Amino acid sequence: KQLEVMSCDLSAFPACKFFRVEAIIRPWRLQKVVAQLAAHGIRGLTVSSVQGAGVQGGRKERYGGTEFGDSSASEQFLVDKTRMDIVVARGQVDSVVRIVSAAAHTGEIGDGKIFVHPVADIIRIRTAETGAVAERMEGGMQDMTGVKGV
Ligand code: ATP
Ligand code: GLN
């Protein structure tokens, strides 16, 4: 499949202006993903350390044919992952998904998954701004690349 041209089906939420792109990635790819997002003006994001199970299951972190990691019993079924939550305007979802996918991709089992969720509203606590004004960030993707969302 071609990451550069893939697009998300947002048609289930025709009136939704904002979406949360939730990406579960390999922890050691985080810096690369953040750097690529920053280069495109995506400055707002939240990162968490999580553990998960997928096709990779409890197998140790695998890349380039080698396996490494701790093998204690409690971690047998769970693999350390990093979750990124990136809220963006509707028209920026495809760009963000493509940037994250390209930067997180190795082609080996365990690259991760991306979930796209609708977001009803956004409130900037400092200013009490809401909606599109709260979603915009100075020097953000819209300012930098002209890719508007709403
Ligand atoms: P202010 O102008 O008041 O600083 P801001 O919009 O820049 O507001 P912050 O207060 O810097 O927002 O954001 C606080 C935290 O909220 C960030 O550290 C980040 O975890 C999270 N966050 C902000 N924007 C986003 C976003 N678009 N997507 C995901 N998380 C975000
Ligand atoms: N959509 C915002 C903008 O264009 C950026 C959002 C983000 O950084 N998560 O300004």
Side-chain angles (χ1 to χ4, degrees):
K1 295 274 171 65
Q2 293 182 290
L3 294 175
E4 313 78 39
V5 294
M6 60 78 53
S7 63
C8 295
D9 180 5
L10 306 179
S11 63
F13 299 93
C16 193
K17 293 178 180 156
F18 318 108
F19 289 84
R20 175 167 60 91
V21 176
E22 176 189 11
I24 313 293
I25 62 167
R26 298 180 192 273
W28 57 270
R29 278 289 171 126
L30 176 64
Q31 293 311 324
K32 182 176 177 183
V33 175
V34 170
Q36 286 301 310
L37 287 168
H40 292 83
I42 296 297
R43 317 168 62 197
L45 52 87
T46 301
V47 174
S48 327
S49 293
V50 296
Q51 293 189 304
V55 171
Q56 189 183 22
R59 274 167 278 162
K60 295 294 153 274
E61 176 64 13
R62 179 162 45 162
Y63 178 64
T66 60
E67 294 193 348
F68 48 92
D70 187 83
S71 60
S72 72
S74 64
E75 289 176 8
Q76 211 167 349
F77 298 105
L78 296 171
V79 180
D80 287 341
K81 293 286 172 188
T82 294
R83 182 175 73 221
M84 304 184 73
D85 286 292
I86 310 156
V87 175
V88 293
R90 185 183 187 98
Q92 299 173 332
V93 171
D94 283 346
S95 301
V96 168
V97 168
R98 288 173 195 168
I99 293 164
V100 172
S101 312
H105 178 91
T106 72
E108 301 263 345
I109 287 171
D111 272 357
K113 218 168 241 192
I114 298 176
F115 307 99
V116 181
H117 311 264
V119 170
D121 203 1
I122 297 168
I123 297 94
R124 180 172 278 127
I125 294 173
R126 177 174 60 83
T127 57
E129 292 163 318
T130 60
V133 177
E135 195 278 332
R136 283 286 304 278
M137 296 183 79
E138 207 164 307
M141 177 173 263
Q142 182 163 334
D143 290 347
M144 204 183 256
T145 68
V147 179
K148 310 196 191 202
V150 226

